[in-house]
Amino acid sequence: MNKEMMRRLRTAGKYQRKALRALFPEEMSGHLDVIESEVKAMFMDLALEMMKEYKNGEQESCDTGSTTRKTKKVDIM
């Protein structure tokens, strides 16, 4: 993606955050901050775990090759 698109995505994210906060009372802003930081931490942990698995060669392959499919040629007239 180019820099302009990344800038627009960041701006859109800021507006989404403001819109979500506008739905709740101001007293809940502290709770939303905690939830936001926890979700960020969860994604970071997930990304690190995936990187470790990839580095160790334990990633799953999408093509298992255990099943074979047969196709039949059909002529449409």
Side-chain angles (χ1 to χ4, degrees):
M1 283 189 237
N2 59 19
K3 291 181 182 181
E4 179 66 21
M5 182 59 86
M6 291 301 294
R7 185 185 63 78
R8 287 183 180 193
L9 286 172
R10 274 189 251 120
T11 303
K14 289 178 185 178
Y15 286 137
Q16 285 179 337
R17 186 172 185 248
K18 286 181 181 180
L20 182 67
R21 289 180 177 274
L23 294 174
F24 295 103
E26 289 188 26
E27 296 84 26
M28 292 186 70
S29 66
H31 296 290
L32 292 174
D33 289 335
V34 171
I35 292 169
E36 182 180 358
S37 65
E38 287 294 321
V39 169
K40 285 180 183 177
M42 287 171 50
F43 277 109
M44 289 299 293
D45 289 344
L46 177 64
L48 289 173
E49 188 66 29
M50 289 174 62
M51 288 173 59
K52 286 179 187 176
E53 288 179 9
Y54 183 77
K55 188 176 181 181
N56 293 335
E58 298 173 4
Q59 69 273 17
E60 293 182 19
S61 175
C62 295
D63 184 27
T64 58
S66 62
T67 60
T68 58
R69 296 182 181 169
K70 295 183 179 183
T71 58
K72 181 179 177 182
K73 183 178 178 181
V74 178
D75 293 326
I76 301 175
M77 294 184 192

